[in-house]
Amino acid sequence: MTSHHSNQEADKRRFATKLLHYNNAVDEQTGASSTPVFQASTFHHHDIHNPPEFDYSRSGNPTREALEQYIALLEGGHRGFAFASGMAAISTAFMLLSAGDHVIVTEDVYGGTYRLLTTILSRMNIETTFVDMTRFDEVKAALKPNTKAVFMETPSNPTLKITDIALTAAWAKDNGLLTMLDNTFMTPYHQRPIEWGVDIVLHSATKFLGGHSDVLAGLAVAADAETGKRLKYLQNGLGNVLAPQESWLLMRGMKTLQARMEQSERSARKLADWLVRHPQVTRVYYPGLDDHPGREIHERQSAGYGAVVSFDVGSGERAKALLNGVQLPLVAVSLGAVESILSYPVMMSHAAMPREVRLERGITDGLVRYSVGLEDIEDLLEDLDQALHGLE
Ligand SMILES: *Cc1c(COP(=O)(O)O)cnc(C)c1O
């Protein structure tokens, strides 16, 4: 398929422009203003001597391909891949490892990734050491003769701890380790890990990239050709690809990423400042706050603080009363959407984690996570204020 914009040209443009002008953003054949949905599982061989570019949709589909080139452009990587969910992308990347390998992972990694490592990959004899990645000495101390990879997530969920990406990636490279980073919370608008030396960037595109709580998807971007080739082999071999309709829907959402992230972040900063002063709130976590321990490192590697604010209201009873008291945000699992979403990690994302482990990681009974959407911030504050005043 020929392309309207070459990625080479697009690479030089600024982020907001890249979001609208990428390979196949305009259909070359018809001039249609969006990539067509190629709802086909297979492709006709017009001439058996010259097989078509696409031959079977698991191996390649033009709509999915447009999305894959799009995310590679945004992350500044060599090649992108689209999967049926964030966990499909993450589990596929872990399939680069073999039985007997060891991986170093941030201790407050996403719950689904924790489950994959501790209950599924462990059965395949892939061993994990969880470390506090805010402490580089812990990362270094976890190195073993069979260590093959380092998996980062920054800011982490839900207490928004910061890992120094460049420092960790450089050390990993010196030790011959593959580096992977879950960039779901920041998106390439705020943070582009490949620029800091990371080999594979992963996304739950279900969150900010899709942005509308209506599509489940995962993306991966390989920094170089060799890693890209290996991921392509796995994607085709495992078959956990994103369907054409979902690929189209995701591109449709991603076009407004910058506009959504900008407004949500502006509101999230206001919310964090407001919560710090609120008498019913005991603690606030947001990388943009002066007292956030990772703020300086975060500011070096990211262009913004994001739209997720976590805060503690003191007890489980009070957290539950707050969840029942709010009227505007969805009370739900997930984040990164046009509508605000309030989550309760203890009963949702971290329900499977033993209480002692959870408390050790700062995930207290009174902790809630607010993903700020596009509502008027004054309405969100008024709503939260009335719910907080209802607490005992
Ligand atoms: C939601 C999420 C995932 C998993 O993505 P799914 O699309 O739900 O499979 C992975 N990492 C982070 C940080 C997430 O928030």
Side-chain angles (χ1 to χ4, degrees):
M1 198 158 67
T2 51
S3 46
H4 178 71
H5 302 279
S6 85
N7 262 6
Q8 233 168 6
E9 237 172 85
D11 269 337
K12 293 187 225 125
R13 300 200 179 107
R14 289 158 191 83
F15 194 83
T17 310
K18 287 182 186 177
L19 282 173
L20 285 313
H21 300 274
Y22 51 94
N23 242 350
N24 295 311
V26 172
D27 180 43
E28 185 70 20
Q29 274 200 341
T30 61
S33 61
S34 77
T35 312
V37 180
F38 285 90
Q39 193 65 53
S41 62
T42 193
F43 299 83
H44 179 57
H45 291 52
H46 284 290
D47 171 5
I48 199 68
H49 302 294
N50 288 304
E53 181 186 350
F54 296 96
D55 77 340
Y56 188 60
S57 275
R58 170 160 44 72
S59 314
N61 174 284
T63 313
R64 193 177 84 230
E65 169 92 8
L67 167 63
E68 292 177 331
Q69 290 185 15
Y70 187 19
I71 190 62
L73 172 72
L74 298 180
E75 287 286 3
H78 180 78
R79 191 165 184 180
F81 301 93
F83 296 90
S85 69
M87 283 320 302
I90 292 167
S91 55
T92 300
F94 274 115
M95 287 295 120
L96 290 166
L97 302 178
S98 301
D101 288 352
H102 169 250
V103 56
I104 303 169
V105 178
T106 182
E107 67 178 7
D108 40 10
V109 71
Y110 175 72
T113 309
Y114 181 83
R115 186 194 301 127
L116 170 72
L117 288 161
T118 55
T119 68
I120 301 174
L121 295 181
S122 56
R123 285 196 287 104
M124 273 120 222
N125 199 21
I126 290 168
E127 189 196 354
T128 308
T129 302
F130 293 99
V131 300
D132 176 355
M133 281 206 183
T134 63
R135 299 192 38 198
F136 186 53
D137 55 327
E138 279 198 24
V139 179
K140 287 191 287 185
L143 185 70
K144 298 194 200 194
N146 60 337
T147 307
K148 291 288 162 58
V150 178
F151 188 96
M152 296 171 255
E153 190 177 318
T154 181
S156 69
N157 180 27
T159 55
L160 305 162
K161 288 186 189 153
I162 306 301
T163 299
D164 188 326
I165 304 172
L167 182 71
T168 310
W171 171 82
K173 189 153 277 166
D174 284 347
N175 287 280
L177 313 178
L178 181 79
T179 46
M180 303 185 257
L181 191 147
D182 184 333
N183 203 27
T184 300
F185 271 45
M186 283 294 108
T187 82
Y189 171 54
H190 279 321
Q191 178 172 283
R192 289 181 292 280
I194 288 172
E195 292 174 1
W196 301 108
V198 167
D199 298 312
I200 299 174
V201 178
L202 296 154
H203 283 284
S204 170
T206 312
K207 316 294 169 54
F208 291 103
L209 291 173
H212 294 71
S213 300
D214 55 11
V215 58
L216 192 73
L219 295 170
V221 178
D224 62 85
E226 179 55 30
T227 311
K229 221 166 122 183
R230 294 175 68 203
L231 274 179
K232 175 72 194 177
Y233 189 84
L234 287 171
Q235 185 196 38
N236 188 41
L238 294 166
N240 46 9
V241 294
L242 192 64
Q245 289 279 351
E246 310 298 276
S247 297
W248 183 88
L249 194 54
L250 186 51
M251 286 188 276
R252 141 73 118 110
M254 284 164 68
K255 289 179 182 178
T256 55
L257 177 68
Q258 179 159 334
R260 287 185 284 107
M261 287 299 276
E262 275 176 359
Q263 190 185 322
S264 285
E265 195 204 36
R266 222 167 19 244
S267 296
R269 289 187 197 206
K270 280 190 192 160
L271 174 66
D273 287 337
W274 181 86
L275 285 167
V276 165
R277 295 191 309 270
H278 203 287
Q280 300 279 29
V281 174
T282 59
R283 184 147 182 201
V284 185
Y285 301 87
Y286 187 62
L289 291 174
D290 287 333
D291 66 347
H292 188 88
R295 178 170 177 159
E296 208 180 300
I297 294 168
H298 183 76
E299 286 177 345
R300 217 186 303 139
Q301 63 197 18
S302 311
Y305 307 112
V308 177
V309 182
S310 295
F311 59 99
D312 203 313
V313 291
S315 76
E317 287 317 304
R318 284 163 57 88
K320 284 180 227 166
L322 177 72
L323 293 161
N324 277 344
V326 292
Q327 287 171 359
L328 285 177
L330 282 181
V331 174
V333 168
S334 201
L335 58 108
V338 286
E339 69 276 2
S340 292
I341 300 178
L342 187 59
S343 301
Y344 187 37
V346 168
M347 289 177 71
M348 296 175 179
S349 52
H350 292 71
M353 194 176 270
R355 187 157 187 271
E356 321 82 68
V357 180
R358 187 160 58 63
L359 292 178
E360 242 168 58
R361 293 177 190 182
I363 307 162
T364 47
D365 294 339
L367 189 73
V368 297
R369 187 189 73 196
Y370 204 117
S371 166
V372 184
L374 302 182
E375 300 91 341
D376 190 306
I377 183 61
E378 296 307 324
D379 287 328
L380 294 179
L381 296 182
E382 277 173 30
D383 174 49
L384 201 50
D385 198 38
Q386 63 78 25
L388 284 167
H389 277 297
L391 303 187
E392 297 285 303

